[in-house]
Amino acid sequence: MTYSGAVTVGGPADVHELKDLMITKIAVGPMNNNAYLLRCRATDEQLLIDAANDASTLLGMIGDDGIASVVTTHRHGDHWQALAEVVAATGARTYAGRDDAEGIPVPTDVPVEDGDTIRVGNVELTARHLVGHTPGSIALVYDDPHGHPHVFTGDCLFPGGVGNTHKDPKAFARLIRDVETKIFDALPDETWVYPGHGNDTTLGAERPHLPEWHARGW
C-alpha cells in the first residue's frame, strides 16, 4: 500500500517504509493528535514521537519489542497525555526541548538543544529548536541517505501555515523566522513533513505560500 499519511482517530495506522527506517503514523485523542513510531530496520530499535493520548493504542502499536526512547515535541498537554503510562510500561528514555522540559510533568532524561542528534538504532535524527508556538518546541529531521529528507514538526509547521502563536506578533515573527531559516532554507522541496495534527505535506507544497503567511500574520 502507498503511504498517504491520512489517519483518523480509531482508524488504522499508516506505514511509510523507507530503506533504513519504518515510520508508523497513528491518530489518537480528542484533539486528533499524530503519534509517530520510528523503527530502525537494521537493529529493530524503536522511538516514539509524542505519546499524545490513548496509551493502550500506542502500546499496541509499539508491540512486544518496546521502545528505547520517546521524544515530546513540545510542552502542550495534548502531546504528552499518555507519556507517563508509556514510559512506565517500556522504561523508555525521555527527550524534550530544554526550554519546554519544565512544562512536561514526566521528567525529561535528555534535554535537547538545537542541532543535537537523537538516535534510533543506526538512524540519526537532528533536532531543530523552533521558538514561538512554545519556548522549547523541537522538530526532528531525518536526512535519508537513500532519498529526500523527512521532518517531524510537532505543532510548528502544518499544511497551510506555521503553528498557533495566539495572536502574538512577536511570537509569530520568531516562529516563522525559525521555520524559514532552519527548515525551508535548509531542506529541499521534496522534504516530507509530518505534523503534530492532520495530514502530511511537503516543503515544496508549502514554500510558495510563505509570503501569504507573512502577510496575514499567522
Side-chain angles (χ1 to χ4, degrees):
M1 295 292 289
T2 301
Y3 174 79
S4 71
V7 294
T8 57
V9 175
D14 199 5
V15 181
H16 204 169
E17 297 195 29
L18 310 179
K19 185 169 183 179
D20 294 337
L21 186 68
M22 291 183 63
I23 302 166
T24 302
K25 177 181 182 178
I26 200 165
V28 293
M31 297 185 70
N32 192 33
N33 284 75
N34 295 325
Y36 299 94
L37 181 67
L38 278 55
R39 185 183 186 98
C40 170
R41 298 181 76 127
T43 67
D44 289 331
E45 184 171 295
Q46 297 190 120
L47 174 151
L48 181 68
I49 299 175
D50 283 345
N53 208 300
D54 195 353
S56 61
T57 294
L58 296 181
L59 290 170
M61 176 175 68
I62 290 166
D64 293 339
D65 289 341
I67 50 173
S69 48
V70 54
V71 179
T72 303
T73 57
H74 63 290
R75 64 170 63 180
H76 287 161
D78 59 308
H79 290 260
W80 48 253
Q81 292 296 311
L83 181 59
E85 191 171 342
V86 168
V87 169
T90 63
R93 293 184 306 275
T94 56
Y95 293 76
R98 183 177 295 279
D99 294 334
D100 268 14
E102 66 180 6
I104 300 169
V106 178
T108 297
D109 297 323
V110 185
V112 178
E113 305 277 6
D114 186 61
D116 282 356
T117 297
I118 300 173
R119 298 185 65 90
V120 51
N122 295 341
V123 170
E124 291 188 351
L125 308 170
T126 302
R128 290 301 176 207
H129 181 203
L130 306 173
V131 181
H133 182 66
T134 66
S137 289
I138 54 172
L140 298 177
V141 179
Y142 170 51
D143 191 1
D144 185 354
H146 309 289
H148 55 73
H150 300 255
V151 58
F152 302 86
T153 56
D155 283 3
C156 288
L157 177 63
F158 297 98
V162 296
N164 190 352
T165 51
H166 307 286
K167 300 181 180 180
D168 180 339
K170 290 183 179 178
F172 170 75
R174 178 63 190 270
L175 180 57
I176 199 163
R177 183 182 74 199
D178 278 2
V179 167
E180 282 190 295
T181 58
K182 296 181 182 181
I183 303 298
F184 281 97
D185 290 353
L187 299 169
D189 283 352
E190 295 78 14
T191 302
W192 197 278
V193 177
Y194 305 82
H197 304 262
N199 292 336
D200 300 354
T201 187
T202 64
L203 291 186
E206 305 304 320
R207 195 185 302 274
H209 303 288
L210 282 166
E212 300 168 30
W213 303 354
H214 277 280
R216 74 188 185 196
W218 56 271

